[in-house]
Structures are given as structure tokens and as C-alpha cells.
Amino acid sequence: MANFLIMGMLGILIYNLFKAKEYIANNTFILAIFIKENLAIWLWAFCVIVVATAILYIEPNANAIIRNLSGLDLANTKTGWLLFGAGLCGLFRNVKKKNSTV
């Protein structure tokens, strides 16, 4: 169970590192701003990962529903958790971006 949480957190980290690459390359990266702008996303994604882990711990058969909804096999692969963490950050960003243009 701890391995799944770690892989989910690494997914969050890898997504954000890819998003920050432009700022790092342009020497405009400021850690304080990076943390301030992303903290809510990280907390939300981490909470979803914790809840999903708890659900699968309590009811392993729930993986079939998660697999049908997301295409990720969270019960049997650590890679699924990595992609799940990254995908949650991307999903939150897309919703945030869509709401800011309305």
C-alpha cells in the first residue's frame, strides 16, 4: 500500500517537473512561485490517491470499476499509480485552465 502512495506521489512530481522545464530552461524558475501556484493541485491529487488507495485496500474488486473509468490497473501495477498521479495533476490543470477562460 505504501508503494502505491509513493508511486502516485512520484507521478505528481514527474508531471510538475515536465511542466516546469520551460521556466527552468529560460532561467525564470522561482521555487516559491512554483510551490505557491501548485500546492493546491498537489494536495488535491495526493488526497485522491490516498482515497483510491483506501478504497482498493478495503475493496480490491473496485479496481475493475477504476480500470473501466480510467484505463489504469491500479491493483496490479505500480506504473498505473505513477500515471494516476500525473494524470490527476493534468486533469486539475485542464479544469483550472477551462474555468479561467470562461
Side-chain angles (χ1 to χ4, degrees), residues 60-77:
N61 293 330
N63 183 57
I65 296 168
I66 294 170
R67 187 175 49 234
N68 287 338
L69 290 173
S70 68
L72 298 173
D73 185 2
L74 298 180
N76 300 316
T77 64

Side-chain angles (χ1 to χ4, degrees), residues 8-41:
M9 290 181 349
L10 288 174
I12 293 169
L13 178 64
I14 199 164
Y15 175 85
N16 285 282
L17 288 174
F18 274 105
K19 284 299 194 179
K21 72 182 181 307
E22 298 170 23
Y23 301 105
I24 293 169
N26 295 337
N27 291 327
T28 58
F29 180 79
I30 300 170
L31 184 60
I33 293 173
F34 178 71
I35 291 171
K36 182 181 175 188
E37 290 183 359
N38 292 297
L39 188 60
I41 297 169

Side-chain angles (χ1 to χ4, degrees), residues 27-99:
N27 291 327
T28 58
F29 180 79
I30 300 170
L31 184 60
I33 293 173
F34 178 71
I35 291 171
K36 182 181 175 188
E37 290 183 359
N38 292 297
L39 188 60
I41 297 169
W42 298 339
L43 290 175
W44 177 81
F46 180 71
C47 288
V48 172
I49 289 168
V50 169
V51 170
T53 302
I55 289 169
L56 290 175
Y57 179 75
I58 295 167
E59 181 54 61
N61 293 330
N63 183 57
I65 296 168
I66 294 170
R67 187 175 49 234
N68 287 338
L69 290 173
S70 68
L72 298 173
D73 185 2
L74 298 180
N76 300 316
T77 64
K78 292 177 187 170
T79 307
W81 286 95
L82 183 75
L83 295 173
F84 187 49
L88 288 171
C89 288
L91 175 71
F92 191 96
R93 262 195 208 285
N94 288 340
V95 169
K96 188 175 173 183
K97 192 181 298 183
K98 185 185 294 186
N99 288 338

